[in-house]
Every structure is written in structure tokens, then in C-alpha cells.
């Protein structure tokens, strides 16, 4: 099964499977909005859109991808820090050379530290092993925050569907669409589909503007943060992870208990049961 995600921004790790000894096990870090297309480009070479550093050195496997970034810029900054941990001020506390490590182990250790520090530790990220045979556990003390998900298996970037306003304009049904408008539980304003977050816990049908709900959640948090981690639904009052609300908006159907595994022992080499792509 391939998971489909709208608004995809990811940073990936490639593993070189070339049998030439000097190339075997080499790692490449990159960013993408379409992982399936990107790995094909890398293996096809630079003239087909691949990177200079990977061209002619493959085959490559995309073994890990971190996705859920809010924008291409956010993904780009994460990519740069992962590629240059010795130059990133956010990773100044991380020891770069600790002895014998494979390139895969080194890059996994670095990204494990990255998920612990601001601003990345508050993002609703998914750590996805695309190739479980390369899977590595988090070291003690480096398990990611509970609002992040650990997933296994393929992922596909899904094109965003037109929002209700665009569809109404195309079919001349503006008045009918206006009648069907949903209103924000917090400000009572009309909610456009592109700005909508909705509670995924049945039978709650609460709908809010993304910004309104973010501000509502942040009121209950300590500190001067710009992105919430969790908060109570203004309708049903259940505690919800902000990341799960975003994932639900982007195509996942989540249950009340949808949280990342809290320890390596809870992490299985199968897709977590609570992470189920919507059937379209």
C-alpha cells in the first residue's frame, strides 16, 4: 500500500548500492515534493534531472524520508543542516566525529539530534523508512517528540484538489456553495477549504480556521511559540495533536489514540495501525 499525502515537502536520504567498493554505502541528502519522481531522476542521471553528485554513481535507493514540512523553505533549511551539521548553529552541541560509523549510521545520528531541537522539534513531521531493511532504531535519549510519527513503506505526493470556491466558480454555483459554507467554531467566520482544520474524532464536526485554532492551542502553552503541539478541540474538548490535525487535512484518517510510538520497543517494522490512508 502506498500512502498519498497532499502538500508534500520532504527531505530524503539516498543509499548507493553500486558494487564498486568506493561507492557502496555512500549517502546523499536531498529535498523533494515528489519522492517517486525524484528517485527516478537520480538513477537516470544528471541530464534527466538528477543531481551532479549522484549522476553516474548509482543505482541509488531512497531509504528514508522526513516529511510534513509546512513549506519548501522549511524543507530546504532542514536539508542544509542535515548536509552540513558542522556548520549549523542548531547542531553546535552535536559531536561530529565519534569513532567508527558507517555513513548511514552517521546521517541517522545527525537527523536524530535534529528532531530534538528547535524549530524542527515542534513540526508535525513523519519519519518514514521507505526501505525497512535499512531501518535503524533511535539511540537512547534521541527518541523524537510524541507528536511525530514513525512510518514504514512507500509514500506518494498527491495533487491538491481544487477548493470548494474554485469548483463553485467553474460551475456557476456560487449561491449554492455559499449556502454550504462552514463557519469557524472560534470566530464564526466562513471557512474556505484551503484554510480549514476539522476535528477527526466522531461524532465531533467542529471546523475552524487553521490560524484561529493555532492561536487557541497556543494560549494554553507556555513560551513564545509560533506553532502549537497540542490542544483541546473547542467543540468536543478532546486533546488533539496539532500534527494529527494537519495530517488529517492532508489525507490521513486518524484515531483518538494516534500518537507516535513512545519507545523503540513499540516500533514495529510494519505501518502503524493508526496511520491509515483515506480511501478515495
Amino acid at each position: 500500500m502506498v500512502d498519498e499525502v497532499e502538500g508534500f515537502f520532504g527531505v530524503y536520504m539516498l543509499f548507493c548500492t553500486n558494487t564498486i567498493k568506493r561507492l557502496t554505502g555512500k549517502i546523499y541528502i536531498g529535498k523533494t515534493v515528489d519522492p517517486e519522481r525524484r528517485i527516478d531522476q537520480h538513477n537516470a542521471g544528471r541530464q534527466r534531472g538528477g543531481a551532479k553528485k549522484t549522476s553516474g554513481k548509482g543505482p541509488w535507493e531512497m531509504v528514508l524520508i522526513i516529511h510534513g514540512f509546512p513549506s519548501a523553505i522549511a524543507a530546504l533549511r532542514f536539508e542544509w543542516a542535515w548536509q552540513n551539521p558542522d556548520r549549523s548553529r542548531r547542531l553546535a552541541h552535536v559531536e561530529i566525529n565519534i569513532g567508527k560509523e558507517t555513513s548511514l549510521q552517521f546521517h541517522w545520528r545527525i537527523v536524530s539530534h535534529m528532531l530534538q531541537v528547535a524549530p524542527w522539534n515542534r513540526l508535525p513531521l513523519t519519519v518514514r523508512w521507505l526501505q525497512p531493511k535499512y531501518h535503524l532504531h533511535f539511540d537512547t535519549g534521541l527518541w523524537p517528540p510524541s507528536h511525530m510519527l514513525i512510518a514504514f513503506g512507500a509514500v506518494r505526493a498527491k495533487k491538491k484538489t481544487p477548493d470548494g470556491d474554485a469548483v463553485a466558480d467553474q460551475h456557476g454555483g456560487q449561491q449554492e456553495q455559499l449556502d454550504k459554507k462552514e463557519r469557524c467554531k472560534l470566530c464564526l467566520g466562513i471557512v474556505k477549504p484551503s484554510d480549514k482544520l476539522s476535528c477527526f474524532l466522531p461524532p465531533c464536526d467542529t471546523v475552524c480556521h487553521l490560524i484561529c485554532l493555532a492561536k487557541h492551542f497556543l494560549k494554553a502553552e507556555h513560551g513564545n511559540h509560533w506553532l502549537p503541539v497540542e490542544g483541546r478541540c473547542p467543540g468536543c474538548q478532546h486533546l488533539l495533536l496539532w500534527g494529527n490535525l494537519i495530517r488529517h487535512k492532508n489525507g490521513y484518517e486518524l484515531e483518538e489514540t494516534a500518537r507516535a510510538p513512545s519507545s523503540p520497543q513499540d516500533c514495529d517494522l510494519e505501518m502503524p495501525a493508526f496511520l491509515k490512508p483515506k480511501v478515495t
Side-chain angles (χ1 to χ4, degrees), residues 116-161:
Q116 300 287 322
V117 300
W120 306 305
N121 61 353
R122 294 184 67 85
L123 295 180
L125 300 176
T126 296
V127 180
R128 180 181 294 272
W129 287 97
L130 301 166
Q131 302 288 344
K133 64 184 178 181
Y134 295 99
H135 168 249
L136 296 172
H137 285 295
F138 288 99
D139 289 340
T140 302
L142 289 179
W143 197 251
S146 64
H147 61 272
M148 295 186 186
L149 297 183
I150 314 300
F152 295 85
V155 64
R156 177 176 297 140
K158 181 181 178 182
K159 291 184 178 180
K160 286 191 174 183
T161 54

mmCIF file of all heavy atoms in Angstrom, residues 116-161:
data_model
loop_
_atom_site.group_PDB
_atom_site.id
_atom_site.type_symbol
_atom_site.label_atom_id
_atom_site.label_comp_id
_atom_site.label_asym_id
_atom_site.label_seq_id
_atom_site.Cartn_x
_atom_site.Cartn_y
_atom_site.Cartn_z
ATOM 1 N N GLN A 116 15.325 16.824 17.718
ATOM 2 C CA GLN A 116 15.228 17.208 19.123
ATOM 3 C C GLN A 116 15.296 18.722 19.339
ATOM 4 O O GLN A 116 14.985 19.199 20.431
ATOM 5 C CB GLN A 116 16.376 16.563 19.917
ATOM 6 C CG GLN A 116 16.403 15.051 19.886
ATOM 7 C CD GLN A 116 15.306 14.441 20.730
ATOM 8 O OE1 GLN A 116 14.992 14.944 21.802
ATOM 9 N NE2 GLN A 116 14.719 13.366 20.258
ATOM 10 N N VAL A 117 15.724 19.468 18.330
ATOM 11 C CA VAL A 117 15.995 20.891 18.537
ATOM 12 C C VAL A 117 15.033 21.773 17.737
ATOM 13 O O VAL A 117 14.465 21.358 16.720
ATOM 14 C CB VAL A 117 17.455 21.237 18.162
ATOM 15 C CG1 VAL A 117 18.429 20.439 19.013
ATOM 16 C CG2 VAL A 117 17.715 20.972 16.674
ATOM 17 N N ALA A 118 14.863 23.001 18.239
ATOM 18 C CA ALA A 118 14.015 23.982 17.566
ATOM 19 C C ALA A 118 14.672 24.431 16.257
ATOM 20 O O ALA A 118 15.897 24.489 16.163
ATOM 21 C CB ALA A 118 13.794 25.180 18.483
ATOM 22 N N PRO A 119 13.878 24.738 15.246
ATOM 23 C CA PRO A 119 12.413 24.744 15.236
ATOM 24 C C PRO A 119 11.784 23.412 14.853
ATOM 25 O O PRO A 119 10.585 23.254 14.872
ATOM 26 C CB PRO A 119 12.108 25.792 14.158
ATOM 27 C CG PRO A 119 13.198 25.581 13.152
ATOM 28 C CD PRO A 119 14.437 25.270 13.971
ATOM 29 N N TRP A 120 12.642 22.436 14.519
ATOM 30 C CA TRP A 120 12.127 21.194 13.947
ATOM 31 C C TRP A 120 11.383 20.330 14.954
ATOM 32 O O TRP A 120 10.519 19.534 14.581
ATOM 33 C CB TRP A 120 13.277 20.409 13.300
ATOM 34 C CG TRP A 120 14.031 21.236 12.320
ATOM 35 C CD1 TRP A 120 13.508 21.914 11.249
ATOM 36 C CD2 TRP A 120 15.435 21.516 12.313
ATOM 37 N NE1 TRP A 120 14.498 22.591 10.582
ATOM 38 C CE2 TRP A 120 15.694 22.369 11.208
ATOM 39 C CE3 TRP A 120 16.493 21.133 13.119
ATOM 40 C CZ2 TRP A 120 16.964 22.838 10.894
ATOM 41 C CZ3 TRP A 120 17.768 21.589 12.815
ATOM 42 C CH2 TRP A 120 17.997 22.433 11.718
ATOM 43 N N ASN A 121 11.693 20.482 16.253
ATOM 44 C CA ASN A 121 11.066 19.617 17.251
ATOM 45 C C ASN A 121 9.593 19.940 17.487
ATOM 46 O O ASN A 121 8.904 19.215 18.200
ATOM 47 C CB ASN A 121 11.834 19.667 18.579
ATOM 48 C CG ASN A 121 11.876 21.050 19.187
ATOM 49 O OD1 ASN A 121 11.443 22.025 18.583
ATOM 50 N ND2 ASN A 121 12.415 21.147 20.391
ATOM 51 N N ARG A 122 9.092 21.013 16.895
ATOM 52 C CA ARG A 122 7.671 21.344 17.024
ATOM 53 C C ARG A 122 6.882 21.104 15.743
ATOM 54 O O ARG A 122 5.661 21.278 15.711
ATOM 55 C CB ARG A 122 7.508 22.801 17.470
ATOM 56 C CG ARG A 122 8.043 23.070 18.868
ATOM 57 C CD ARG A 122 7.767 24.489 19.307
ATOM 58 N NE ARG A 122 6.348 24.755 19.497
ATOM 59 C CZ ARG A 122 5.676 24.495 20.618
ATOM 60 N NH1 ARG A 122 6.289 23.939 21.655
ATOM 61 N NH2 ARG A 122 4.393 24.779 20.718
ATOM 62 N N LEU A 123 7.565 20.724 14.681
ATOM 63 C CA LEU A 123 6.879 20.485 13.409
ATOM 64 C C LEU A 123 6.180 19.125 13.411
ATOM 65 O O LEU A 123 6.666 18.168 14.018
ATOM 66 C CB LEU A 123 7.874 20.549 12.252
ATOM 67 C CG LEU A 123 8.543 21.904 11.994
ATOM 68 C CD1 LEU A 123 9.504 21.796 10.822
ATOM 69 C CD2 LEU A 123 7.512 22.982 11.730
ATOM 70 N N PRO A 124 5.060 19.011 12.714
ATOM 71 C CA PRO A 124 4.327 17.733 12.637
ATOM 72 C C PRO A 124 4.953 16.794 11.604
ATOM 73 O O PRO A 124 4.354 16.463 10.585
ATOM 74 C CB PRO A 124 2.920 18.173 12.218
ATOM 75 C CG PRO A 124 3.144 19.398 11.397
ATOM 76 C CD PRO A 124 4.317 20.101 12.040
ATOM 77 N N LEU A 125 6.160 16.340 11.889
ATOM 78 C CA LEU A 125 6.923 15.557 10.918
ATOM 79 C C LEU A 125 6.611 14.066 11.015
ATOM 80 O O LEU A 125 6.229 13.556 12.064
ATOM 81 C CB LEU A 125 8.421 15.778 11.129
ATOM 82 C CG LEU A 125 8.914 17.220 10.975
ATOM 83 C CD1 LEU A 125 10.399 17.311 11.294
ATOM 84 C CD2 LEU A 125 8.626 17.744 9.576
ATOM 85 N N THR A 126 6.828 13.392 9.901
ATOM 86 C CA THR A 126 6.767 11.938 9.841
ATOM 87 C C THR A 126 8.139 11.426 9.428
ATOM 88 O O THR A 126 8.707 11.875 8.429
ATOM 89 C CB THR A 126 5.713 11.462 8.817
ATOM 90 O OG1 THR A 126 4.414 11.878 9.240
ATOM 91 C CG2 THR A 126 5.729 9.940 8.686
ATOM 92 N N VAL A 127 8.680 10.513 10.215
ATOM 93 C CA VAL A 127 9.965 9.874 9.906
ATOM 94 C C VAL A 127 9.629 8.541 9.248
ATOM 95 O O VAL A 127 9.126 7.625 9.893
ATOM 96 C CB VAL A 127 10.803 9.652 11.182
ATOM 97 C CG1 VAL A 127 12.138 8.997 10.850
ATOM 98 C CG2 VAL A 127 11.009 10.972 11.921
ATOM 99 N N ARG A 128 9.886 8.439 7.973
ATOM 100 C CA ARG A 128 9.420 7.275 7.200
ATOM 101 C C ARG A 128 10.581 6.501 6.592
ATOM 102 O O ARG A 128 11.364 7.033 5.800
ATOM 103 C CB ARG A 128 8.485 7.746 6.084
ATOM 104 C CG ARG A 128 7.935 6.632 5.194
ATOM 105 C CD ARG A 128 7.050 7.188 4.104
ATOM 106 N NE ARG A 128 5.852 7.780 4.645
ATOM 107 C CZ ARG A 128 4.718 7.106 4.893
ATOM 108 N NH1 ARG A 128 4.660 5.820 4.620
ATOM 109 N NH2 ARG A 128 3.663 7.727 5.383
ATOM 110 N N TRP A 129 10.654 5.230 6.975
ATOM 111 C CA TRP A 129 11.622 4.323 6.344
ATOM 112 C C TRP A 129 10.964 3.734 5.106
ATOM 113 O O TRP A 129 10.038 2.935 5.197
ATOM 114 C CB TRP A 129 12.041 3.229 7.319
ATOM 115 C CG TRP A 129 12.945 3.721 8.399
ATOM 116 C CD1 TRP A 129 12.595 4.102 9.665
ATOM 117 C CD2 TRP A 129 14.361 3.903 8.310
ATOM 118 N NE1 TRP A 129 13.699 4.524 10.368
ATOM 119 C CE2 TRP A 129 14.804 4.409 9.563
ATOM 120 C CE3 TRP A 129 15.306 3.703 7.307
ATOM 121 C CZ2 TRP A 129 16.138 4.704 9.826
ATOM 122 C CZ3 TRP A 129 16.640 3.998 7.571
ATOM 123 C CH2 TRP A 129 17.046 4.488 8.814
ATOM 124 N N LEU A 130 11.456 4.134 3.951
ATOM 125 C CA LEU A 130 10.917 3.628 2.685
ATOM 126 C C LEU A 130 11.419 2.221 2.399
ATOM 127 O O LEU A 130 10.755 1.451 1.722
ATOM 128 C CB LEU A 130 11.317 4.570 1.542
ATOM 129 C CG LEU A 130 10.826 6.019 1.694
ATOM 130 C CD1 LEU A 130 11.549 6.917 0.707
ATOM 131 C CD2 LEU A 130 9.333 6.096 1.481
ATOM 132 N N GLN A 131 12.595 1.907 2.928
ATOM 133 C CA GLN A 131 13.194 0.581 2.761
ATOM 134 C C GLN A 131 13.491 0.027 4.154
ATOM 135 O O GLN A 131 14.549 0.303 4.734
ATOM 136 C CB GLN A 131 14.487 0.673 1.937
ATOM 137 C CG GLN A 131 14.324 1.274 0.555
ATOM 138 C CD GLN A 131 13.609 0.316 -0.388
ATOM 139 O OE1 GLN A 131 13.509 -0.877 -0.109
ATOM 140 N NE2 GLN A 131 13.107 0.828 -1.499
ATOM 141 N N PRO A 132 12.563 -0.758 4.733
ATOM 142 C CA PRO A 132 12.736 -1.238 6.118
ATOM 143 C C PRO A 132 14.012 -2.021 6.372
ATOM 144 O O PRO A 132 14.482 -2.085 7.501
ATOM 145 C CB PRO A 132 11.492 -2.120 6.316
ATOM 146 C CG PRO A 132 10.470 -1.545 5.392
ATOM 147 C CD PRO A 132 11.245 -1.117 4.177
ATOM 148 N N LYS A 133 14.620 -2.586 5.341
ATOM 149 C CA LYS A 133 15.840 -3.372 5.555
ATOM 150 C C LYS A 133 17.004 -2.500 6.024
ATOM 151 O O LYS A 133 17.984 -3.012 6.569
ATOM 152 C CB LYS A 133 16.223 -4.115 4.274
ATOM 153 C CG LYS A 133 16.583 -3.219 3.103
ATOM 154 C CD LYS A 133 16.853 -4.049 1.849
ATOM 155 C CE LYS A 133 17.171 -3.165 0.645
ATOM 156 N NZ LYS A 133 17.407 -3.972 -0.580
ATOM 157 N N TYR A 134 16.893 -1.184 5.824
ATOM 158 C CA TYR A 134 17.942 -0.268 6.283
ATOM 159 C C TYR A 134 17.607 0.349 7.638
ATOM 160 O O TYR A 134 18.381 1.144 8.166
ATOM 161 C CB TYR A 134 18.132 0.867 5.274
ATOM 162 C CG TYR A 134 18.657 0.409 3.930
ATOM 163 C CD1 TYR A 134 17.786 0.223 2.860
ATOM 164 C CD2 TYR A 134 20.014 0.163 3.731
ATOM 165 C CE1 TYR A 134 18.254 -0.192 1.620
ATOM 166 C CE2 TYR A 134 20.499 -0.245 2.496
ATOM 167 C CZ TYR A 134 19.609 -0.432 1.445
ATOM 168 O OH TYR A 134 20.077 -0.846 0.229
ATOM 169 N N HIS A 135 16.472 -0.012 8.204
ATOM 170 C CA HIS A 135 15.944 0.634 9.405
ATOM 171 C C HIS A 135 16.937 0.607 10.571
ATOM 172 O O HIS A 135 17.553 -0.410 10.873
ATOM 173 C CB HIS A 135 14.649 -0.074 9.818
ATOM 174 C CG HIS A 135 14.157 0.284 11.183
ATOM 175 N ND1 HIS A 135 14.170 -0.599 12.227
ATOM 176 C CD2 HIS A 135 13.658 1.446 11.675
ATOM 177 C CE1 HIS A 135 13.682 -0.018 13.303
ATOM 178 N NE2 HIS A 135 13.367 1.222 13.004
ATOM 179 N N LEU A 136 17.070 1.757 11.231
ATOM 180 C CA LEU A 136 17.883 1.893 12.440
ATOM 181 C C LEU A 136 17.008 2.442 13.555
ATOM 182 O O LEU A 136 16.137 3.283 13.315
ATOM 183 C CB LEU A 136 19.064 2.847 12.198
ATOM 184 C CG LEU A 136 20.106 2.421 11.160
ATOM 185 C CD1 LEU A 136 21.095 3.553 10.908
ATOM 186 C CD2 LEU A 136 20.833 1.161 11.600
ATOM 187 N N HIS A 137 17.243 1.974 14.779
ATOM 188 C CA HIS A 137 16.495 2.491 15.917
ATOM 189 C C HIS A 137 17.102 3.804 16.398
ATOM 190 O O HIS A 137 18.288 4.072 16.206
ATOM 191 C CB HIS A 137 16.502 1.478 17.070
ATOM 192 C CG HIS A 137 15.605 0.303 16.851
ATOM 193 N ND1 HIS A 137 14.238 0.422 16.773
ATOM 194 C CD2 HIS A 137 15.879 -1.015 16.683
ATOM 195 C CE1 HIS A 137 13.696 -0.776 16.589
ATOM 196 N NE2 HIS A 137 14.683 -1.657 16.512
ATOM 197 N N PHE A 138 16.277 4.601 17.047
ATOM 198 C CA PHE A 138 16.780 5.801 17.709
ATOM 199 C C PHE A 138 17.601 5.392 18.923
ATOM 200 O O PHE A 138 17.232 4.470 19.650
ATOM 201 C CB PHE A 138 15.631 6.694 18.160
ATOM 202 C CG PHE A 138 14.915 7.388 17.030
ATOM 203 C CD1 PHE A 138 13.727 6.888 16.530
ATOM 204 C CD2 PHE A 138 15.436 8.547 16.473
ATOM 205 C CE1 PHE A 138 13.062 7.523 15.496
ATOM 206 C CE2 PHE A 138 14.781 9.193 15.432
ATOM 207 C CZ PHE A 138 13.592 8.676 14.942
ATOM 208 N N ASP A 139 18.721 6.085 19.145
ATOM 209 C CA ASP A 139 19.519 5.830 20.338
ATOM 210 C C ASP A 139 18.788 6.312 21.581
ATOM 211 O O ASP A 139 17.878 7.151 21.506
ATOM 212 C CB ASP A 139 20.869 6.548 20.236
ATOM 213 C CG ASP A 139 21.787 5.907 19.211
ATOM 214 O OD1 ASP A 139 21.552 4.727 18.867
ATOM 215 O OD2 ASP A 139 22.725 6.591 18.747
ATOM 216 N N THR A 140 19.180 5.798 22.719
ATOM 217 C CA THR A 140 18.588 6.209 23.988
ATOM 218 C C THR A 140 18.715 7.722 24.160
ATOM 219 O O THR A 140 19.784 8.288 23.966
ATOM 220 C CB THR A 140 19.299 5.509 25.163
ATOM 221 O OG1 THR A 140 19.198 4.095 24.985
ATOM 222 C CG2 THR A 140 18.669 5.907 26.495
ATOM 223 N N GLY A 141 17.607 8.359 24.493
ATOM 224 C CA GLY A 141 17.602 9.800 24.680
ATOM 225 C C GLY A 141 17.374 10.599 23.416
ATOM 226 O O GLY A 141 17.274 11.824 23.465
ATOM 227 N N LEU A 142 17.292 9.920 22.268
ATOM 228 C CA LEU A 142 17.095 10.623 20.998
ATOM 229 C C LEU A 142 15.786 10.243 20.323
ATOM 230 O O LEU A 142 15.603 10.505 19.139
ATOM 231 C CB LEU A 142 18.274 10.340 20.051
ATOM 232 C CG LEU A 142 19.605 10.979 20.427
ATOM 233 C CD1 LEU A 142 20.679 10.609 19.420
ATOM 234 C CD2 LEU A 142 19.475 12.498 20.528
ATOM 235 N N TRP A 143 14.883 9.605 21.086
ATOM 236 C CA TRP A 143 13.575 9.288 20.510
ATOM 237 C C TRP A 143 12.838 10.594 20.230
ATOM 238 O O TRP A 143 12.858 11.516 21.042
ATOM 239 C CB TRP A 143 12.783 8.414 21.480
ATOM 240 C CG TRP A 143 11.638 7.722 20.831
ATOM 241 C CD1 TRP A 143 10.324 7.993 21.007
ATOM 242 C CD2 TRP A 143 11.696 6.647 19.898
ATOM 243 N NE1 TRP A 143 9.544 7.160 20.239
ATOM 244 C CE2 TRP A 143 10.369 6.324 19.547
ATOM 245 C CE3 TRP A 143 12.741 5.933 19.305
ATOM 246 C CZ2 TRP A 143 10.057 5.316 18.633
ATOM 247 C CZ3 TRP A 143 12.422 4.932 18.405
ATOM 248 C CH2 TRP A 143 11.103 4.629 18.084
ATOM 249 N N PRO A 144 12.176 10.734 19.078
ATOM 250 C CA PRO A 144 11.578 12.026 18.706
ATOM 251 C C PRO A 144 10.378 12.391 19.578
ATOM 252 O O PRO A 144 9.822 11.534 20.277
ATOM 253 C CB PRO A 144 11.146 11.800 17.259
ATOM 254 C CG PRO A 144 10.909 10.333 17.162
ATOM 255 C CD PRO A 144 11.938 9.702 18.057
ATOM 256 N N PRO A 145 9.965 13.657 19.559
ATOM 257 C CA PRO A 145 8.782 14.080 20.318
ATOM 258 C C PRO A 145 7.548 13.260 19.953
ATOM 259 O O PRO A 145 7.432 12.757 18.830
ATOM 260 C CB PRO A 145 8.612 15.553 19.900
ATOM 261 C CG PRO A 145 9.972 15.986 19.473
ATOM 262 C CD PRO A 145 10.605 14.775 18.851
ATOM 263 N N SER A 146 6.628 13.145 20.898
ATOM 264 C CA SER A 146 5.482 12.241 20.729
ATOM 265 C C SER A 146 4.536 12.656 19.618
ATOM 266 O O SER A 146 3.724 11.854 19.154
ATOM 267 C CB SER A 146 4.710 12.126 22.046
ATOM 268 O OG SER A 146 4.158 13.375 22.416
ATOM 269 N N HIS A 147 4.610 13.917 19.163
ATOM 270 C CA HIS A 147 3.701 14.337 18.097
ATOM 271 C C HIS A 147 4.232 13.969 16.710
ATOM 272 O O HIS A 147 3.534 14.169 15.716
ATOM 273 C CB HIS A 147 3.440 15.845 18.161
ATOM 274 C CG HIS A 147 4.672 16.677 18.000
ATOM 275 N ND1 HIS A 147 5.470 17.030 19.065
ATOM 276 C CD2 HIS A 147 5.254 17.237 16.909
ATOM 277 C CE1 HIS A 147 6.474 17.768 18.629
ATOM 278 N NE2 HIS A 147 6.377 17.902 17.328
ATOM 279 N N MET A 148 5.440 13.432 16.644
ATOM 280 C CA MET A 148 5.974 12.963 15.361
ATOM 281 C C MET A 148 5.608 11.498 15.167
ATOM 282 O O MET A 148 5.490 10.742 16.127
ATOM 283 C CB MET A 148 7.488 13.138 15.314
ATOM 284 C CG MET A 148 7.928 14.584 15.343
ATOM 285 S SD MET A 148 9.721 14.739 15.119
ATOM 286 C CE MET A 148 9.923 16.506 15.386
ATOM 287 N N LEU A 149 5.449 11.103 13.915
ATOM 288 C CA LEU A 149 5.090 9.726 13.584
ATOM 289 C C LEU A 149 6.281 8.976 13.003
ATOM 290 O O LEU A 149 7.120 9.563 12.322
ATOM 291 C CB LEU A 149 3.944 9.699 12.571
ATOM 292 C CG LEU A 149 2.603 10.282 13.005
ATOM 293 C CD1 LEU A 149 1.573 10.108 11.896
ATOM 294 C CD2 LEU A 149 2.115 9.629 14.285
ATOM 295 N N ILE A 150 6.321 7.684 13.281
ATOM 296 C CA ILE A 150 7.296 6.787 12.664
ATOM 297 C C ILE A 150 6.508 5.887 11.726
ATOM 298 O O ILE A 150 5.543 5.247 12.142
ATOM 299 C CB ILE A 150 8.018 5.917 13.711
ATOM 300 C CG1 ILE A 150 8.483 6.769 14.898
ATOM 301 C CG2 ILE A 150 9.189 5.179 13.058
ATOM 302 C CD1 ILE A 150 9.434 7.872 14.533
ATOM 303 N N ALA A 151 6.889 5.864 10.463
ATOM 304 C CA ALA A 151 6.124 5.101 9.473
ATOM 305 C C ALA A 151 7.070 4.277 8.608
ATOM 306 O O ALA A 151 8.273 4.551 8.527
ATOM 307 C CB ALA A 151 5.290 6.050 8.609
ATOM 308 N N PHE A 152 6.482 3.264 7.963
ATOM 309 C CA PHE A 152 7.250 2.389 7.084
ATOM 310 C C PHE A 152 6.475 2.180 5.789
ATOM 311 O O PHE A 152 5.261 2.030 5.807
ATOM 312 C CB PHE A 152 7.510 1.033 7.765
ATOM 313 C CG PHE A 152 8.370 1.130 8.981
ATOM 314 C CD1 PHE A 152 7.825 1.430 10.215
ATOM 315 C CD2 PHE A 152 9.734 0.940 8.894
ATOM 316 C CE1 PHE A 152 8.615 1.536 11.343
ATOM 317 C CE2 PHE A 152 10.543 1.033 10.011
ATOM 318 C CZ PHE A 152 9.977 1.340 11.245
ATOM 319 N N GLY A 153 7.190 2.172 4.663
ATOM 320 C CA GLY A 153 6.546 1.927 3.384
ATOM 321 C C GLY A 153 6.546 3.152 2.492
ATOM 322 O O GLY A 153 6.949 4.246 2.882
ATOM 323 N N ALA A 154 6.076 2.952 1.281
ATOM 324 C CA ALA A 154 6.141 3.984 0.250
ATOM 325 C C ALA A 154 5.165 5.128 0.515
ATOM 326 O O ALA A 154 4.142 4.965 1.187
ATOM 327 C CB ALA A 154 5.847 3.366 -1.114
ATOM 328 N N VAL A 155 5.497 6.285 -0.042
ATOM 329 C CA VAL A 155 4.639 7.456 0.057
ATOM 330 C C VAL A 155 4.600 8.132 -1.312
ATOM 331 O O VAL A 155 5.577 8.103 -2.061
ATOM 332 C CB VAL A 155 5.152 8.434 1.139
ATOM 333 C CG1 VAL A 155 6.517 9.003 0.769
ATOM 334 C CG2 VAL A 155 4.155 9.552 1.393
ATOM 335 N N ARG A 156 3.460 8.729 -1.618
ATOM 336 C CA ARG A 156 3.281 9.374 -2.922
ATOM 337 C C ARG A 156 2.743 10.786 -2.702
ATOM 338 O O ARG A 156 1.849 10.996 -1.886
ATOM 339 C CB ARG A 156 2.306 8.575 -3.778
ATOM 340 C CG ARG A 156 1.985 9.201 -5.140
ATOM 341 C CD ARG A 156 1.093 8.273 -5.941
ATOM 342 N NE ARG A 156 1.776 7.017 -6.210
ATOM 343 C CZ ARG A 156 1.193 5.817 -6.168
ATOM 344 N NH1 ARG A 156 -0.096 5.710 -5.836
ATOM 345 N NH2 ARG A 156 1.878 4.725 -6.437
ATOM 346 N N ALA A 157 3.299 11.737 -3.430
ATOM 347 C CA ALA A 157 2.799 13.106 -3.368
ATOM 348 C C ALA A 157 1.497 13.181 -4.153
ATOM 349 O O ALA A 157 1.430 12.773 -5.312
ATOM 350 C CB ALA A 157 3.828 14.068 -3.947
ATOM 351 N N LYS A 158 0.462 13.675 -3.507
ATOM 352 C CA LYS A 158 -0.867 13.762 -4.115
ATOM 353 C C LYS A 158 -1.174 15.200 -4.475
ATOM 354 O O LYS A 158 -0.959 16.106 -3.672
ATOM 355 C CB LYS A 158 -1.916 13.231 -3.129
ATOM 356 C CG LYS A 158 -3.338 13.240 -3.645
ATOM 357 C CD LYS A 158 -4.269 12.705 -2.561
ATOM 358 C CE LYS A 158 -5.720 12.742 -3.018
ATOM 359 N NZ LYS A 158 -6.626 12.257 -1.933
ATOM 360 N N LYS A 159 -1.660 15.418 -5.679
ATOM 361 C CA LYS A 159 -2.014 16.768 -6.097
ATOM 362 C C LYS A 159 -3.196 17.259 -5.283
ATOM 363 O O LYS A 159 -4.140 16.523 -5.015
ATOM 364 C CB LYS A 159 -2.373 16.789 -7.583
ATOM 365 C CG LYS A 159 -1.187 16.546 -8.510
ATOM 366 C CD LYS A 159 -1.590 16.678 -9.954
ATOM 367 C CE LYS A 159 -0.394 16.474 -10.884
ATOM 368 N NZ LYS A 159 -0.784 16.598 -12.315
ATOM 369 N N LYS A 160 -3.123 18.531 -4.900
ATOM 370 C CA LYS A 160 -4.209 19.113 -4.137
ATOM 371 C C LYS A 160 -5.445 19.248 -5.015
ATOM 372 O O LYS A 160 -5.363 19.649 -6.176
ATOM 373 C CB LYS A 160 -3.806 20.484 -3.589
ATOM 374 C CG LYS A 160 -2.831 20.416 -2.422
ATOM 375 C CD LYS A 160 -2.691 21.767 -1.752
ATOM 376 C CE LYS A 160 -1.837 21.657 -0.496
ATOM 377 N NZ LYS A 160 -1.734 22.935 0.219
ATOM 378 N N THR A 161 -6.585 18.913 -4.433
ATOM 379 C CA THR A 161 -7.846 19.063 -5.156
ATOM 380 C C THR A 161 -8.292 20.518 -5.072
ATOM 381 O O THR A 161 -8.024 21.207 -4.083
ATOM 382 C CB THR A 161 -8.924 18.160 -4.550
ATOM 383 O OG1 THR A 161 -9.024 18.436 -3.144
ATOM 384 C CG2 THR A 161 -8.553 16.701 -4.728
#
